[in-house]
Amino acid sequence: MFSNTRYDHHEAAAMTCKPHIAAIECAENIALNYLLHEVPEPPQQKPTVLSRGFENDYLIPFSKEMELVEILSFLAKTKEGSDYIPAMCVEQDPSGPTLKALLAINKRKYTDGNHLLQNLKTGFEMIFNVLRKSRFERGSSTEITKKLLQMIVQMCSARITCRLRLTGKKWKESKRSIKDHLERAMEGVRQINPQKLIQFNLDASSLLFRTESKSVIQSINKWSNHKVLSFLDDIVEKMYRLNNIIGLQQLLHLIPSGPTKMVKEATFASSLLNIIQKVSRYKEAARIIHRIAKKFPLVRNIEVHLASLPPEAFDRPHHSSYLASLSATLSRLGKINGKQYDTSQFSQFIKGKTTESLGEEFSQQTARTLQEAKIHAEIQIIAYCEIQSPPLFPRAIASSKDACFLCYAFIQSHNKMHTSRKHGRLYPGWRLPTLSSLKMLEHKFNEVLLDHARQTIRARAKGQIDIHPHPNESTLLPMLASMSTTGAIPDQTSIIEKTALPHVVPPGLRTLKNAISTAGMYLKFKEASSCALASSDPIAGTISPRFSSPFFLTGPLHIQLEMEGSLDPESATKSFTYCIAKLSVNQSNELPIETLMVDVVKLEGEITYALPPDGRFCIQAHDVRVKITCQ
């Protein structure tokens, strides 16, 4: 416990030998930053695009490692609530026969959540047993994916029914299940002005939405009557089909809302889309795990390992005479713009707080952090890897939620692993493990926190105040899928002819964010600002199932070419030769009228096109066009 006697930080030098001084300073630095910002940074999503420059010794490319980690961490959240948030990474050993999936959950004490961890381990082993026992032969994709989905639904059934608002807290609060939402949405779609549907080429999509929604509702009724897991599989399958309707997001946002309408809430479309996308992700997970395992045999021997830290990692500082001092903590900042800030000067940056109340709030928050803070799952995994010192350090880490401000800052400071998402909120109940092997990292991180406080004070002194609203802490990154693992979905050729390119009749179709596929190859793009392609400087190269192309940058396009295929001897010898070049305005105007041109800005998902006979097609974003020629 903490007494009311204040600890004089002028004695800090005399206490540096005490093992917990860095942990106390970390708690103080967290409390200081929390006074300045509850949400220090805005949310950010950065899909994995770069190879990070150290691919040579790894058996799985960095982009696939990140993709696998993202999907496993999503599946690891099997229960509603914020008590136990999981995180995962995968560890590769070039000399070993298996791939390790490391798992941890947020913990306050060493024994927290151990029963849940064992249940998660058992659930993942059921999923991975499908990979171990399956023969990845031609024509086996559908059956393997189906088996994976069955095991995923069995492991995640409680979470799925909660997401569907058929059980759980959200259902009790809203009293509106996915069935109620879809019934209102079907009626709302009928109320959309027909001219708008024609204008946005969504008339066929609206009919398909009503058909697929009715199918989902029928499956929900069957599940509600019998509570059989196979019926829950069916709901997920049909939600996946619903999610793949072309223009779904735009269609739902066209539904009229207001006090006199069927849909009264302005947030209805976003809420329904969130449910559809997250439930659909379970089917996507089965497809993606299968696709990666098909291409990289090591993944077929994946095992779950708990990233368990020793009990002493959860020890807490005990100094009976200690009470945090805001003025002493401010003194550690040193001079900012030539000025040493005291508590009175600092208080001018915090609205509605007196000097006395700030000091008391700071002391109480520091005490709560020291007594009650959790070690977040990402931090446990990093600490575990540092202790184990694997020959190949995992390169990607992900949680079921976006990384908080402190986790993201620590991952950046650690600089060995990558995470794709952060929500930017600072949780003051956050701590580092008490481990001697982390002392250097702990001191480095304390400097990061102090520097962030300095930057904030410097900006506030200039009148720059960035106030970020509380973010959505659970978002989905788009997952890429290939045409080789395409499942059966409705024939939407007529829709594509209206919404995409009238002269292209696709042989098959998938919709997924930010990608197009053509003839066994797919491209990925994101917004970027640098430029690496010039119209006078085309770049040629070769890609194979083992290696992707570099990332090509030009204006708003950031492009990588990747070829699908397994790593068996036959497919490993196959390759595409390509040439990629940015087009000038004149070159664009000279293109034949029949040229396949895909506008990625208008894409709402992955669309598979037939590769033109000459192997040439173009992609464009805003006023930038790129031509790709494949052989």
Side-chain angles (χ1 to χ4, degrees), residues 4 72 125 156 232 438 579 581 608:
N4 291 326
L72 293 180
E125 286 301 337
C156 303
L232 195 56
L438 286 187
C579 181
T608 302

Side-chain angles (χ1 to χ4, degrees), residues 127-137 140 143-145 147-148 290 300:
I127 296 170
F128 298 153
N129 275 336
V130 174
L131 300 178
R132 278 190 281 270
K133 294 178 180 179
S134 296
R135 300 184 66 178
F136 288 76
E137 300 172 337
S140 66
E143 186 60 29
I144 295 173
T145 301
K147 290 179 180 177
L148 285 170
H290 166 260
R300 303 171 200 174

Side-chain angles (χ1 to χ4, degrees), residues 333-577:
L333 296 176
K335 291 185 177 181
I336 302 172
N337 292 335
K339 183 178 182 180
Q340 180 70 59
Y341 283 87
D342 58 24
T343 306
S344 176
Q345 294 163 327
F346 176 79
S347 65
Q348 66 183 304
F349 303 132
I350 316 295
K351 290 185 178 180
K353 304 283 186 180
T354 64
T355 301
E356 293 75 16
S357 65
L358 273 179
E360 186 65 25
E361 186 176 334
F362 174 82
S363 297
Q364 291 177 357
Q365 182 56 68
T366 303
R368 283 194 297 271
T369 298
L370 290 168
Q371 293 170 359
E372 303 170 6
K374 292 181 178 181
I375 305 175
H376 283 202
E378 299 99 314
I379 307 306
Q380 292 178 60
I381 288 175
I382 291 172
Y384 178 85
C385 291
E386 286 291 340
I387 293 171
Q388 299 296 318
S389 189
L392 293 177
F393 208 93
R395 298 167 293 175
I397 190 168
S399 170
S400 63
K401 295 174 65 175
D402 301 2
C404 70
F405 167 77
L406 292 171
C407 281
Y408 190 84
F410 186 82
I411 291 168
Q412 294 292 101
S413 176
H414 178 244
N415 200 33
K416 292 182 183 179
M417 303 176 83
H418 170 86
T419 193
S420 296
R421 302 168 295 158
K422 67 174 179 180
H423 56 66
R425 184 176 177 182
L426 191 157
Y427 292 121
W430 185 100
R431 59 168 293 208
L432 290 172
T434 306
L435 293 169
S436 57
S437 57
L438 286 187
K439 285 304 171 187
M440 292 298 293
L441 278 171
E442 191 171 31
H443 286 295
K444 182 180 178 182
F445 187 60
N446 272 328
E447 281 305 312
V448 168
L449 294 179
L450 288 174
D451 190 57
H452 191 274
R454 291 186 192 103
Q455 292 178 30
T456 303
I457 292 171
R458 192 175 292 117
R460 297 269 176 99
K462 295 179 180 178
Q464 301 169 0
I465 300 178
D466 292 329
I467 298 179
H468 307 295
H470 279 218
N472 176 12
E473 298 176 18
S474 179
T475 58
L476 289 179
L477 276 174
M479 288 291 177
L480 294 175
S482 71
M483 57 188 286
S484 62
T485 51
T486 297
I489 62 172
D491 181 6
Q492 301 181 46
T493 299
S494 60
I495 299 174
I496 290 298
E497 288 175 343
K498 295 178 180 178
T499 60
L501 302 165
H503 56 275
V504 177
V505 180
L509 172 66
R510 273 273 303 120
T511 54
L512 237 146
K513 198 78 171 174
N514 295 337
I516 60 173
S517 294
T518 178
M521 177 181 68
Y522 62 86
L523 299 90
K524 302 178 282 189
F525 4 73
K526 69 183 285 290
E527 292 296 312
S529 56
S530 55
C531 180
L533 284 177
S535 57
S536 60
D537 186 25
I539 299 173
T542 301
I543 56 173
S544 69
R546 184 66 178 87
F547 298 103
S548 303
S549 75
F551 277 84
F552 301 108
L553 300 154
T554 178
L557 283 174
H558 190 174
I559 308 166
Q560 185 184 41
L561 294 85
E562 184 167 320
M563 182 180 173
E564 266 305 312
S566 63
L567 287 182
D568 56 68
E570 181 182 354
S571 64
T573 61
K574 296 178 181 178
S575 63
F576 268 116
T577 300

Side-chain angles (χ1 to χ4, degrees), residues 606-619:
E606 182 188 34
I607 301 178
T608 302
Y609 296 100
L611 186 66
D614 61 2
R616 297 179 185 178
F617 61 98
C618 297
I619 58 175

